[in-house]
Amino acid sequence: MAEITDKERTELLYTKLKQVREEVGKVVIGQEYMFNRLLLGLFTNGHILLEGVPGLAKTLMVNTLAKVLHLDFNRIQFTPDLLPADLIGTMIYNQAKSDFEVKKGPIFANLILADEVNRSPAKVQAALLESMQERQVTIGETTFKLDSPFLVLATQNPVDQEGTYPLPEAQMDRFMMKVHVDYLDKESELEVMRRMSNMNFRYEPKTILDKGDIALIRNEINKVNMSESLEKYIIELVFASRRPKEYGLNDEAEYIQYGASTRASINLNLASKFIAFSNQRDYVLPEDVKSVAYDVLNHRIILNYEAEADGVTTRQIIESILRKVTIGKV
């Protein structure tokens, strides 16, 4: 059999991605925005933090995506009494062998749903942090590499709810994106109601991609071209959050306590390339950067108490930055 060309391979990957969307859509109604952000995180090696009310099919979405992509999936319910060992595993004594052996925890999977992550104390959050950043965990004196791909999808309760432990800025920064998940529209909710009220409804999604395909897609995304002017545009957006007065954002400067970190620049670059690839382009447009700017920046720009008192939101700050910083001025 003749070897396929690079163009044919890319077209095949596009076709498979379309099939992934269709297959997930047979199980999960609506929530296309969440689905697209999950794919973005998976194919750019970035973790996603979801914030929204319960009952929006987050678990179903991740579980279905894992099946379609032939990946291992674990859901971990974070609670105030959760221990680091419950997450990463521990050493147990084997009486038959008269020796200690490692019992691995649920973190050893490709897709992790960390449900209500801010209900766990700091020690558990720190254990999760190592796995997210280093793609490894340490049990006893042994360090274990996590399988690739490895994606943490965390859900967060509003921080004003009782029994929550706000995630520190250092851990928030490890998430590529913070995505707000909203309710379905009327038509989608009607379809969900009809489907779920049918107790005989069963559908087992088919496997479309595997780990090899995911590696190929990541390689294709890495080939997407970004012009130097767009690279500088990303840097200007991030610096505008740090030094707003230099960009004519005098009013906004009064509300910003901390600007975005260097990870914001990296993740804006990666996310923009995925958007371009998903639109079957091998080059990035300014619109690609703008389309991911809010989700990449909203948890990295920290506002002060004056902003809260005046009702100023991070979205408003980011919108002001996008208006002031234009590609033509870079």
Side-chain angles (χ1 to χ4, degrees):
M1 183 181 295
E3 187 175 340
I4 63 174
T5 64
D6 290 342
K7 183 178 180 180
E8 290 172 335
R9 182 181 294 107
T10 303
E11 291 297 327
L12 179 60
L13 292 175
Y14 286 143
T15 301
K16 287 189 174 183
L17 268 182
K18 182 180 179 182
Q19 292 172 344
V20 167
R21 296 179 187 277
E22 293 172 350
E23 197 65 18
V24 172
K26 294 175 182 177
V27 179
V28 184
I29 303 298
Q31 299 298 5
E32 288 86 1
Y33 187 81
M34 176 172 62
F35 171 74
N36 289 331
R37 289 307 190 236
L38 291 184
L39 280 188
L40 191 157
L42 179 66
F43 291 126
T44 58
N45 210 24
H47 309 293
I48 305 295
L49 178 63
L50 294 181
E51 188 169 75
V53 298
L56 296 179
K58 296 184 288 290
T59 302
L60 179 62
M61 175 73 80
V62 182
N63 193 10
T64 304
L65 188 60
K67 291 178 180 178
V68 173
L69 301 181
H70 196 57
L71 299 174
D72 296 326
F73 164 67
N74 279 330
R75 175 184 177 274
I76 306 171
Q77 180 64 52
F78 281 65
T79 57
D81 60 347
L82 193 71
L83 298 174
D86 299 325
L87 178 69
I88 65 173
T90 188
M91 304 288 293
I92 61 172
Y93 186 73
N94 188 325
Q95 290 184 336
K97 297 180 180 179
S98 298
D99 198 5
F100 286 92
E101 60 184 29
V102 172
K103 181 182 180 182
K104 293 182 178 180
I107 198 69
F108 287 89
N110 300 118
L111 293 182
I112 301 295
L113 179 61
D115 218 356
E116 298 183 307
V117 67
N118 61 334
R119 288 203 181 276
S120 62
K123 284 186 178 180
V124 179
Q125 294 179 6
L128 180 65
L129 182 66
E130 181 191 5
S131 65
M132 290 171 56
Q133 181 64 20
E134 307 297 336
R135 259 76 178 183
Q136 65 182 29
V137 297
T138 302
I139 305 175
E141 297 180 353
T142 307
T143 298
F144 298 89
K145 290 287 184 183
L146 295 170
D147 196 12
S148 181
F150 174 73
L151 174 69
V152 172
L153 166 65
T155 67
Q156 176 175 269
N157 297 90
V159 294
D160 56 348
Q161 284 192 2
E162 185 178 350
T164 59
Y165 300 80
L167 295 177
E169 286 83 356
Q171 182 161 342
M172 291 282 285
D173 195 37
R174 261 66 174 188
F175 288 99
M176 182 181 197
M177 288 183 163
K178 179 183 176 185
V179 180
H180 291 276
V181 183
D182 208 347
Y183 289 109
L184 297 171
D185 56 45
K186 292 180 181 179
E187 290 75 15
S188 297
E189 184 133 356
L190 177 63
E191 179 60 29
V192 170
M193 181 186 70
R194 287 171 173 168
R195 178 179 293 184
M196 300 309 295
S197 61
N198 178 6
M199 292 182 287
N200 293 323
F201 174 76
R202 294 288 186 276
Y203 182 78
E204 188 65 26
K206 302 174 184 175
T207 298
I208 305 297
L209 296 177
D210 56 24
K211 294 178 183 178
D213 293 319
I214 293 173
L216 288 174
I217 290 175
R218 287 182 172 181
N219 189 50
E220 290 297 318
I221 293 171
N222 202 43
K223 294 178 183 177
V224 173
N225 295 307
M226 178 177 287
S227 66
E228 185 177 350
S229 61
L230 268 179
E231 290 177 335
K232 291 180 177 179
Y233 174 58
I234 288 175
I235 299 301
E236 295 294 327
L237 289 175
V238 174
F239 269 72
S241 73
R242 301 173 188 170
R243 306 172 184 173
K245 289 185 177 180
E246 295 181 12
Y247 294 82
L249 296 162
N250 297 314
D251 294 338
E252 290 77 7
E254 303 300 320
Y255 299 118
I256 299 176
Q257 184 173 3
Y258 299 110
S261 69
T262 301
R263 287 192 182 92
S265 306
I266 298 169
N267 290 330
L268 279 171
N269 183 300
L270 287 170
S272 302
K273 287 182 177 180
F274 172 81
I275 297 298
F277 174 79
S278 63
N279 286 296
Q280 301 189 24
R281 281 185 276 105
D282 62 356
Y283 57 90
V284 178
L285 296 174
E287 288 72 21
D288 299 329
V289 179
K290 294 176 182 178
S291 70
V292 296
Y294 178 72
D295 289 337
V296 172
L297 296 174
N298 75 88
H299 60 300
R300 293 186 164 94
I301 298 177
I302 310 301
L303 305 186
N304 54 30
Y305 291 111
E306 285 79 4
E308 184 177 354
D310 293 345
V312 176
T313 65
T314 311
R315 178 177 288 277
Q316 292 171 327
I317 298 294
I318 295 171
E319 288 173 351
S320 296
I321 291 174
L322 291 174
R323 283 195 300 268
K324 280 286 185 180
V325 182
T326 62
I327 186 71
K329 294 181 179 179
V330 176

